[in-house]
Amino acid sequence: MRFLDGLWRGKETAFDSGNAATNAIELTKRHAQVSLTKQGAANGHLRINLSWRMRTSDLGGAQRESLLRHPLKALKPPEVVAHSQSMVNVDLDLGCLYELQDGTKGVVQPLGGFLGDVNAAPYVKLSGDDRFGSASGETIYVNLDHREHIKRLLVFAYIYDQTPAFDRTHAIVTLFPSNGPRIEIGLDERHPQARSCAVVMIENVKGEIVVHREVKFVYGFQAELDRLYGWGLQWGRGFKSKVDR
């Protein structure tokens, strides 16, 4: 499968309250939207984080084989399995398609080094590329103090290269507004062959900043998400630079 990810840059209120103890809003299919403006959180830096871990069910075969060889391990409590480079090579990436009010369109993503800028257009910045599944995951910052320049932002996640598909990872995207509870979107649907997922749309609707859950899985990459949402960018093949493990 060809990986279309380099970019030719060009111009072109209902919700679940979640657990009160965790101070979080969970966006679901039934309750998919929340207004940051109505929460008094449509300013400052909106932090968007992608984190993941491997599903423990995917390790069942290896665990059963280990128990056959070492029966006493069955007496030990189960281990909590977090995302780990030593366990499997997982590389989820976070990106954002943006459209500004003046018609400027583009992408912020690790591939191609399109990391954006938080204090100038597009007012969206990727903090870096987490290739090893660290606890901090990947983070994008949106400067909502410049919300009048922003028309819409599509936050997406994709699986780079030949790593496992979404059905083998438990991924979650969390939005941390400047005020009020965080907003969580889980990517728990099983799509074994999907390579990308449109997670959440952030729109400026007549001055109101609205967050809407998307969670639409596709079998291609950024170009397919572009077509689905009508961004109209020109895409080419892209790669990541190699790093020492």
Side-chain angles (χ1 to χ4, degrees), residues 86-146:
S86 62
M87 182 178 62
V88 69
N89 183 22
V90 177
D91 189 4
L92 297 185
D93 282 334
L94 185 66
C96 178
L97 285 165
Y98 62 82
E99 181 179 2
L100 304 183
Q101 295 288 0
D102 66 1
T104 301
K105 298 178 182 179
V107 69
V108 171
Q109 64 176 19
L111 284 163
F114 297 108
L115 301 183
D117 194 318
V118 76
N119 294 313
Y123 309 105
V124 179
K125 183 174 179 61
L126 180 67
S127 65
D129 179 16
D130 172 21
R131 305 191 189 185
F132 308 110
S134 67
S136 60
E138 294 195 358
T139 301
I140 283 176
Y141 294 91
V142 179
N143 189 345
L144 292 180
D145 287 338
H146 294 273

Side-chain angles (χ1 to χ4, degrees), residues 153-165:
L153 307 173
L154 179 66
V155 178
F156 61 90
Y158 61 97
I159 296 182
Y160 180 71
D161 205 12
Q162 299 176 352
T163 49

Side-chain angles (χ1 to χ4, degrees), residues 30-139:
R30 183 177 178 185
H31 303 299
Q33 184 169 297
V34 63
S35 169
L36 294 183
T37 301
K38 291 180 180 178
Q39 289 193 169
N43 56 2
H45 286 180
L46 171 65
R47 180 163 59 96
I48 305 171
N49 178 260
L50 166 68
S51 60
W52 69 91
R53 68 177 185 271
M54 295 305 297
R55 295 181 186 273
T56 55
S57 60
D58 293 318
L59 303 179
Q63 289 174 341
R64 284 192 295 272
E65 183 178 352
S66 176
L67 289 177
L68 289 174
R69 294 181 179 179
H70 308 283
L72 292 180
K73 285 188 177 181
L75 302 178
K76 292 185 178 181
E79 295 181 358
V80 176
V81 179
H83 38 270
S84 169
Q85 174 63 20
S86 62
M87 182 178 62
V88 69
N89 183 22
V90 177
D91 189 4
L92 297 185
D93 282 334
L94 185 66
C96 178
L97 285 165
Y98 62 82
E99 181 179 2
L100 304 183
Q101 295 288 0
D102 66 1
T104 301
K105 298 178 182 179
V107 69
V108 171
Q109 64 176 19
L111 284 163
F114 297 108
L115 301 183
D117 194 318
V118 76
N119 294 313
Y123 309 105
V124 179
K125 183 174 179 61
L126 180 67
S127 65
D129 179 16
D130 172 21
R131 305 191 189 185
F132 308 110
S134 67
S136 60
E138 294 195 358
T139 301

